[in-house]
Amino acid sequence: MESRRGPLKSAVPSNVVSPVRRCSRTACGRPAVATLTYVYADSTAVLGPLATYAEPHCYDLCAEHSERLTAPRGWEVVRLADASGPARPSGDDLEALANAVREAARPQERAAEGGGTRRADPMEVARRGHLRVLRSPES
């Protein structure tokens, strides 16, 4: 655009905006790889793969900042698996699966033994979300 004095110049130099989303942390210009959202009702911070598009109240983080993320005291951080690569089961996952298979096999063993008495169910000791801690009945 031109005026009578010549071409108009912007007070702020205009740079081409990069299509790559950047980390939301101050003074960090690295590319974002994860999106952080907060669930205030549950006191939970959810860190997952980079969202399809930027949304208000969500924060895009680079790899370094997403790895170092901590939550305020009393809050829980839920890290959703990145779908970019195949998830490998951890040792805890395999142990839990083995325990579940053993537990599922026990009622069949009791039925084969002909045991007419059934033991009392374990008692719930604690609960965290959908997980329960159970105490085995004392023998």
Side-chain angles (χ1 to χ4, degrees):
M1 208 175 186
E2 289 200 25
S3 70
R4 286 187 254 172
R5 296 181 186 172
L8 293 177
K9 293 184 181 179
S10 174
V12 178
S14 173
N15 295 332
V16 176
V17 177
S18 171
V20 177
R21 291 187 2 222
R22 301 286 176 195
C23 184
S24 298
R25 295 292 301 257
T26 305
C28 180
R30 291 184 285 260
V33 297
T35 299
L36 172 67
T37 56
Y38 292 103
V39 181
Y40 292 98
D42 296 334
S43 299
T44 304
V46 181
L47 183 67
L50 188 63
T52 309
Y53 55 90
E55 294 187 41
H57 308 294
C58 292
Y59 304 93
D60 294 337
L61 299 176
C62 65
E64 181 181 341
H65 286 121
S66 63
E67 289 172 7
R68 294 186 348 203
L69 176 74
T70 59
R73 186 175 304 189
W75 282 58
E76 184 176 358
V77 176
V78 175
R79 295 177 187 270
L80 302 177
D82 185 10
S84 65
R88 302 222 31 172
S90 70
D92 291 340
D93 293 338
L94 294 175
E95 184 178 351
L97 179 60
N99 289 339
V101 169
R102 285 188 205 109
E103 187 65 33
R106 283 188 184 155
Q108 294 172 352
E109 291 172 2
R110 285 190 212 132
E113 293 171 359
T117 60
R118 184 169 182 185
R119 298 185 340 186
D121 289 336
M123 295 174 44
E124 183 174 320
V125 175
R127 179 180 285 264
R128 179 163 180 122
H130 68 284
L131 301 174
R132 296 183 300 162
V133 176
L134 302 176
R135 181 180 337 146
S136 296
E138 296 177 12
S139 302

